[in-house]
Amino acid sequence: METERILLRKWQESDADALFKYASDPDVGPRAGWPPHKSIEESREIIKTVFNTDTMWAVVLKETGEAIGCAGYLPAGNSNLNIPSNECEVGYWIGKPYWSMGICTEALKLVIDYCFNVKGFKALWGDYFPENPASGRVMEKCGFRDTGRETVCPNLEVGSDRPVRIMKLEK
């Protein structure tokens, strides 16, 4: 899956240095519900255990070939939200040097297309911390609507006690 600027591909262990470079920034992970990475080895382990699925992709900048973020989806059983089995939750993050460049929006549009047209999901869900409104704007640009609901996600490593806003996109 790709656009002019990015491609989404499976994570590779060789991405560990790049992942650490962006995921160790204390401004990145906590906005998405996870702690900053502490070492390249930790990043390598995350690639092997968390990102080693058919539902998570590295966001790769075509110009450099570097993994600069992550985008993907969680099926209903793995979602932070209580959703039907024919729906999923989307998620994404991007390294701080690439904020406000539209890259997350491009990546999310690729995930949306895949989820609706390849996987056949009927609706997509997303959530974001209200103190990270940029994440909500990414979803809005992609057609998601605010449900007016908030919840907490107790399985998050960071922010499990803070409410998230819930967004939804129907096909």
Side-chain angles (χ1 to χ4, degrees):
M1 298 182 285
E2 62 186 283
T3 67
E4 271 189 39
R5 297 190 298 172
I6 63 166
L7 66 92
L8 301 185
R9 64 153 167 79
K10 282 190 156 292
W11 281 92
Q12 303 165 355
E13 284 190 49
S14 59
D15 294 322
D17 288 349
L19 176 58
F20 177 70
K21 179 165 72 171
Y22 301 115
S24 62
D25 185 324
D27 288 335
V28 175
R31 291 174 183 254
W34 43 269
H37 291 198
K38 294 176 182 67
S39 68
I40 293 172
E41 189 49 48
E42 178 184 7
S43 293
R44 186 174 287 107
E45 192 61 27
I46 295 290
I47 290 169
K48 288 195 271 188
T49 59
V50 178
F51 294 164
N52 188 21
T53 73
D54 291 332
T55 68
M56 291 287 158
W57 300 283
V59 177
V60 176
L61 193 61
K62 284 180 163 181
E63 185 178 319
T64 64
E66 181 180 46
I68 59 169
C70 185
Y73 70 94
L74 296 170
N78 296 35
S79 174
N80 293 307
L81 306 171
N82 184 14
I83 57 177
S85 61
N86 63 347
E87 301 176 2
C88 71
E89 177 185 358
V90 298
Y92 46 85
W93 65 266
I94 201 81
K96 193 173 182 177
Y98 302 98
W99 288 2
S100 301
M101 296 174 67
I103 292 174
C104 268
T105 302
E106 285 181 41
L108 182 55
K109 285 179 178 179
L110 290 172
V111 172
I112 290 167
D113 181 65
Y114 181 83
C115 287
F116 281 147
N117 298 317
V118 175
K119 298 304 289 182
F121 289 114
K122 300 300 180 204
L124 308 181
W125 296 82
D127 55 69
Y128 68 96
F129 292 113
E131 61 270 21
N132 183 14
S135 186
R137 283 193 299 275
V138 167
M139 286 184 263
E140 286 174 353
K141 289 177 192 175
C142 292
F144 282 73
R145 298 290 170 239
D146 191 330
T147 65
R149 297 188 347 230
E150 289 188 349
T151 191
V152 293
C153 301
N155 57 337
L156 294 178
E157 289 184 63
V158 174
S160 61
D161 59 342
R162 296 189 341 249
V164 293
R165 300 281 307 166
I166 301 173
M167 306 283 283
K168 184 177 184 183
L169 176 65
E170 297 186 74
K171 188 168 185 180

